[in-house]
Amino acid sequence: MHTKGIGKNLYQIELNAGGIPQLICSYVIMGKKPILIESGPTNSVPNLLSALEELGIAFGDIEYVAITHVHLDHGGGVGTLLKRLPNAKVIVHSRGMFHLVNPETLWHSAQSVLGTIANIWGPPEPIPKDRIIPVTEGTFDLGEGAKLTALETLGHASHNLSFHESFNNGVFPGDAAGTYVAKYGVVVPTTPPPFRLEVALASLDKLIALNPSVLYFSHFGKVDNAVEHLRDYKVQLQLWADIAFEGVCQNQTLDQVRESIIAQDPVMSSIADYVRNHKIYSKTMLENCVRGFYEWAQRKQSMQVP
Ligand SMILES: [Zn+2]
């Protein structure tokens, strides 16, 4: 079974991307017509399609595929997916639209940033412009008086959308609220360069203001106590920022800052061995996300020196 019901009119789909469990999931909202949240990467599209079959959803019935952002693990597969969903349109942030129509730049930069991980996700295929609905904010009718609301929540990326669904008062934050490491029940920052701390914190305030009950992480799964998680994540981002800034002021290397974060953030201390040995997280969390803070701290320092 790749699917499970997790709320009213809502299913979670384990994409098992790269053969790695509990890494990336999609969601289906059964509104007036089914809506998919996140396509996941290209290479797991066959898993997604078989999960839709498992749920008894006809491919032609799917109205929208909403992607939180175009990074390959979230929206990389949407071009391939759309070839099988004849009536679906893609909801994406306006600034992400170019990359869906012309995915070559995105693919090349993913290869240079992610190395071999990009090949695990697979290359994105282009999407015809007329199948894309670009938004920065907006609402979509789910029927029964319910709606799906898109909110601009930048910081992790310059084009991250979160989606609120009113059936369960839940939010799909994409990467705006961190990675939920389901195995340990903890959240870790998702902050690759160019990470903008102040913008990310403002986005979290925007989500907290909605007073959501649940969060649906793309990495990975549903959590209750949404507001508490969002508040804790703000504190954690500030902690990483303080450690990175202090390190940069002391001329520490990226490696030294990473080790300080692992030593001083109780969440990171508790899962350090797991993350260091994880095929994906060892690269994304321990290299790219720490580097996002390191470069942020360098920018901050360069602005403070007279
Ligand atoms: Zn991302």
Side-chain angles (χ1 to χ4, degrees):
M1 286 290 279
H2 294 104
T3 63
K4 66 174 176 183
I6 56 165
K8 184 183 178 189
N9 298 343
L10 184 63
Y11 294 89
Q12 179 186 343
I13 298 173
E14 160 65 280
L15 294 178
N16 205 31
I20 305 168
Q22 298 200 329
L23 185 64
I24 310 175
C25 56
S26 294
Y27 296 91
V28 191
I29 305 171
M30 302 300 283
K32 279 191 306 185
K33 288 190 167 185
I35 297 177
L36 263 174
I37 309 286
E38 309 283 50
S39 65
T42 302
N43 287 348
S44 56
V45 167
N47 294 351
L48 176 52
L49 291 169
S50 66
L52 294 175
E53 282 172 343
E54 187 178 305
L55 289 170
I57 296 171
F59 295 169
D61 282 351
I62 294 179
E63 187 172 25
Y64 301 117
V65 181
I67 57 174
T68 60
H69 59 304
V70 303
H71 289 170
L72 296 188
D73 45 340
H74 295 257
V78 73
T80 306
L81 180 64
L82 246 62
K83 290 181 174 175
R84 301 293 303 278
L85 309 181
N87 301 312
K89 293 201 170 187
V90 183
I91 301 169
V92 67
H93 191 285
S94 313
R95 274 196 289 276
M97 177 162 162
F98 170 85
H99 294 290
L100 296 187
V101 180
N102 309 282
E104 300 80 15
T105 320
L106 185 67
W107 175 236
H108 291 132
S109 79
Q111 285 177 307
S112 75
V113 173
L114 296 173
T116 53
I117 293 175
N119 296 322
I120 298 176
W121 303 152
E125 293 189 82
I127 299 171
K129 211 171 175 176
D130 62 6
R131 297 193 67 184
I132 299 174
I133 302 175
V135 299
T136 51
E137 309 267 327
T139 51
F140 300 85
D141 183 17
L142 295 174
E144 299 177 42
K147 60 187 181 179
L148 182 71
T149 306
L151 298 114
E152 186 177 58
T153 47
L154 313 179
H156 166 80
S158 62
H159 65 282
N160 193 98
L161 291 175
S162 295
F163 296 98
H164 176 270
E165 60 83 17
S166 65
F167 282 129
N168 305 279
N169 189 28
V171 165
F172 305 91
D175 278 345
T179 288
Y180 180 63
V181 183
K183 186 177 162 82
Y184 293 92
V186 297
V187 172
V188 174
T190 37
T191 53
F195 176 60
R196 294 183 295 160
L197 175 68
E198 297 73 12
V199 177
L201 293 172
S203 295
L204 289 163
D205 285 336
K206 198 170 185 177
L207 295 181
I208 290 167
L210 295 173
N211 199 21
S213 303
V214 280
L215 293 176
Y216 313 113
F217 287 93
S218 307
H219 318 282
F220 176 96
K222 172 190 160 180
V223 300
D224 296 321
N225 305 320
V227 171
E228 192 183 321
H229 272 275
L230 294 168
R231 290 209 176 107
D232 287 350
Y233 188 53
K234 283 183 68 183
V235 172
Q236 190 183 26
L237 289 182
Q238 195 59 60
L239 174 66
W240 283 41
D242 292 345
I243 296 168
F245 188 64
E246 196 182 317
V248 163
C249 290
Q250 293 171 2
N251 292 318
Q252 287 182 3
T253 62
L254 180 68
D255 286 349
Q256 287 173 311
V257 167
R258 171 172 42 250
E259 294 312 311
S260 295
I261 286 173
I262 291 171
Q264 292 179 48
D265 177 357
V267 167
M268 288 305 286
S269 308
S270 71
I271 60 167
D273 288 342
Y274 171 74
V275 175
R276 284 189 214 272
N277 292 314
H278 195 281
K279 194 172 178 180
I280 307 295
Y281 292 158
S282 55
K283 173 83 180 170
T284 55
M285 283 179 192
L286 292 183
E287 286 191 32
N288 298 347
C289 295
V290 173
R291 188 183 297 280
F293 274 99
Y294 193 72
E295 294 182 5
W296 167 84
Q298 287 177 317
R299 290 197 301 276
K300 180 174 168 178
Q301 190 201 31
S302 72
M303 284 187 286
Q304 285 194 350
V305 174

